[in-house]
Amino acid sequence: MIATTRTALRRALFLLGVLLLFLPETASAQTARSIVTESLRSMQRIQTLSGRIKRMERLADGLEPGELKFKLMLDPHKIYIYNYVPEEGAEVLWVNGWNKNKALIHPNKFPWVNVSFGLDADVLLRGHHPMTDLGFGYTHRVIERLMRERSDDFEEHVKYEGTRTWYGQTVHVVVVNYEEYSFDNYTVVGNEDLFDIDRKLNVPAWKVVELNDKVDDFYDIKAGQNLKVPNIYAKKVIFFFDDKYKLPVVQIVYDDQGLFSKYEYLDLRVNPRFRSDEFLSDYSEYGF
């Protein structure tokens, strides 16, 4: 009888062990690396996206809020934006190769006519990023490069801080800290602009504008010019990864001066199927 009981107990423990192997990772078992790696995979799977973005960005006059809703298709690249803050009601439509590759803008104010601008126009660059950075592609590049170039000391600087509730949903909090945040010198090469330097060095283009008194905008540089640039993307970044899509739905960035930017992604739909006319200017729900 005792031997039979021990055998049954061993079998039960074996089955429990097998079951645990196939259960999802619990919050306590997860690590910053596993969460970030899963999120990178999720970002790569995005083909279409829609939702709302609330942002706070430090610009020349201080912190500036913004809010918009958007539709995004990556291949072919298409973008629709409806602004809430600033310029409530203004709409932007850009389709790669259409309209001489210019963005069509409905300003929703006098003189009440649609206008077209190139992507480098000031009206489309009031913020830290060009319109074509919309979505998670930029964030994917920043995180992926951080993991690749800082893999040896990743766990030292990137920590998982558990879960919390954000707008009624569970999110996983990951905090990146680099106390050695400082500045280097960089010499401009060829015809590159600050967005090129952003991609090359993995540092925010707008931060380079802030650091250099003789630079007024993203294109105000020339070959041979010496610039002051950050040695890493940020001093501290707080990410909230949502439990549904595994995406960084909150990104809070700090530098040597404090809050640099904050982005919140709400009402997300990942890989929705858009109607064939949703990226046309005469779509019935748009004001163009």
Side-chain angles (χ1 to χ4, degrees), residues 156-188:
E156 179 183 344
H157 296 283
V158 185
K159 306 293 184 183
Y160 175 47
E161 297 197 352
T163 62
R164 71 174 63 176
T165 302
W166 173 77
Y167 284 102
Q169 62 178 310
T170 299
V171 293
H172 297 268
V173 182
V174 173
V175 178
V176 183
N177 269 301
Y178 281 97
E179 291 299 326
E180 63 269 34
Y181 180 87
S182 61
F183 306 103
D184 295 329
N185 292 318
Y186 176 79
T187 302
V188 179

Side-chain angles (χ1 to χ4, degrees), residues 7 56 69 94 102 104 129 139 161 168 194 226 264-265 287:
T7 300
M56 186 71 68
K69 67 178 179 181
W94 177 78
K102 294 182 177 181
L104 181 66
H129 300 278
T139 305
E161 297 197 352
L194 292 187
N226 292 317
E264 297 179 276
Y265 292 78

Side-chain angles (χ1 to χ4, degrees), residues 7-25:
T7 300
L9 180 60
R10 283 196 296 270
R11 287 176 178 172
L13 290 173
F14 173 77
L15 290 173
L16 178 61
V18 171
L19 177 63
L20 289 173
L21 287 175
F22 292 95
L23 286 176
E25 255 187 323

Side-chain angles (χ1 to χ4, degrees), residues 25 64 90 106 121 128-129 137 156 196 236 238 261 281:
E25 255 187 323
E64 181 176 293
H106 169 62
H128 288 187
H129 300 278
E156 179 183 344
D196 296 324
K236 179 179 180 180
I238 301 173
S261 61
S281 59

Side-chain angles (χ1 to χ4, degrees), residues 259-270:
L259 180 63
F260 180 69
S261 61
K262 178 180 180 180
Y263 304 98
E264 297 179 276
Y265 292 78
L266 302 104
D267 305 328
L268 280 180
R269 294 173 61 221
V270 176

Side-chain angles (χ1 to χ4, degrees), residues 1-250:
M1 181 68 177
I2 294 177
T4 302
T5 302
R6 286 176 177 171
T7 300
L9 180 60
R10 283 196 296 270
R11 287 176 178 172
L13 290 173
F14 173 77
L15 290 173
L16 178 61
V18 171
L19 177 63
L20 289 173
L21 287 175
F22 292 95
L23 286 176
E25 255 187 323
T26 63
S28 60
Q30 293 197 69
T31 65
R33 186 181 289 271
S34 68
I35 292 170
V36 170
T37 300
E38 184 176 28
S39 182
L40 288 174
R41 289 196 293 264
S42 296
M43 285 186 269
Q44 283 184 311
R45 288 193 289 265
I46 295 174
Q47 297 298 319
T48 60
L49 191 69
S50 69
R52 219 167 20 105
I53 300 175
K54 297 176 68 174
R55 72 180 187 275
M56 186 71 68
E57 295 177 327
R58 193 176 69 227
L59 299 175
D61 297 325
L63 290 171
E64 181 176 293
E67 184 174 354
L68 57 84
K69 67 178 179 181
F70 70 94
K71 298 175 184 177
L72 169 67
M73 180 181 291
L74 292 177
D75 188 16
H77 204 173
K78 303 179 181 183
I79 296 170
Y80 169 77
I81 293 173
Y82 180 95
N83 273 307
Y84 294 111
V85 180
E87 307 294 343
E88 183 174 4
E91 296 173 275
V92 182
L93 179 66
W94 177 78
V95 175
N96 191 18
W98 170 77
N99 193 31
K100 298 181 180 179
N101 216 40
K102 294 182 177 181
L104 181 66
I105 300 176
H106 169 62
N108 196 38
K109 63 180 181 181
F110 183 82
W112 305 101
V113 295
N114 298 331
V115 291
S116 296
F117 288 100
L119 297 180
D120 58 351
D122 290 344
V123 68
L124 293 173
L125 288 174
R126 183 166 179 79
H128 288 187
H129 300 278
M131 183 177 65
T132 48
D133 277 350
L134 185 69
F136 291 99
Y138 182 89
T139 305
H140 181 279
R141 174 173 62 79
V142 170
I143 296 176
E144 188 275 334
R145 189 161 172 178
L146 174 69
M147 290 190 72
R148 175 164 40 87
E149 296 181 352
R150 303 277 178 152
S151 60
D152 292 342
D153 60 356
F154 182 86
E155 276 74 19
E156 179 183 344
H157 296 283
V158 185
K159 306 293 184 183
Y160 175 47
E161 297 197 352
T163 62
R164 71 174 63 176
T165 302
W166 173 77
Y167 284 102
Q169 62 178 310
T170 299
V171 293
H172 297 268
V173 182
V174 173
V175 178
V176 183
N177 269 301
Y178 281 97
E179 291 299 326
E180 63 269 34
Y181 180 87
S182 61
F183 306 103
D184 295 329
N185 292 318
Y186 176 79
T187 302
V188 179
V189 178
N191 295 320
E192 63 186 0
D193 55 46
L194 292 187
F195 295 127
D196 296 324
I197 294 173
D198 181 326
R199 288 186 287 270
K200 180 189 287 187
L201 303 182
N202 208 36
V203 297
W206 180 257
K207 181 62 180 177
V208 182
V209 175
E210 284 189 339
L211 288 171
N212 295 272
D213 294 337
K214 295 183 179 181
V215 176
D216 293 326
D217 60 51
F218 300 111
Y219 301 98
D220 184 30
I221 59 174
K222 58 185 179 181
Q225 184 174 350
N226 292 317
L227 298 176
K228 188 177 181 181
V229 300
N231 67 332
I232 197 168
Y233 188 80
K235 185 173 184 177
K236 179 179 180 180
V237 185
I238 301 173
F239 290 108
F240 291 1
F241 295 94
D242 74 304
D243 215 25
K244 181 179 181 180
Y245 294 122
K246 318 303 181 186
L247 295 173
V249 292
V250 176

